[in-house]
Amino acid sequence: MDWLQFLQIICVPAFGWLFYRVGELNKDLSNFKVKVAEQSVSHAQKYALKEDIQRIENKLDDLRNLVIEEIKKK
């Protein structure tokens, strides 16, 4: 198996999946921002709830772990 086949079979799908997953997390974060903004307006809150902050931290941790796993695979 030469390098070109390796890239076509292994690396291209892996990078495609990685970009898909990052886009999905980005969409999730955008929806979350809208939800928090709506809660702030409807409840006259100035700050995000503790659960909301925890959710963002968990998403960032998931993203960080995903990137670390992809780097380790190389």
Side-chain angles (χ1 to χ4, degrees):
M1 177 187 281
D2 64 343
W3 283 104
L4 186 58
Q5 285 179 331
F6 175 76
L7 289 174
Q8 289 175 341
I9 295 171
I10 305 295
C11 293
V12 172
F15 282 119
W17 178 82
L18 180 63
F19 285 122
Y20 169 77
R21 184 74 175 122
V22 169
E24 190 176 279
L25 288 173
N26 191 18
K27 180 182 173 187
D28 231 11
L29 183 60
S30 297
N31 291 338
F32 174 72
K33 287 178 182 179
V34 170
K35 179 184 165 193
V36 170
E38 288 172 352
Q39 284 179 351
S40 295
V41 171
S42 65
H43 297 287
Q45 295 175 343
K46 292 185 179 180
Y47 304 101
L49 301 174
K50 187 174 183 178
E51 298 86 29
D52 297 333
I53 293 171
Q54 184 66 36
R55 183 168 177 244
I56 288 177
E57 289 175 350
N58 290 338
K59 289 286 183 183
L60 290 174
D61 288 341
D62 290 344
L63 182 60
R64 185 193 69 208
N65 291 336
L66 179 66
V67 170
I68 289 172
E69 288 175 15
E70 290 299 319
I71 290 173
K72 284 183 181 178
K73 288 181 183 178
K74 291 182 183 181

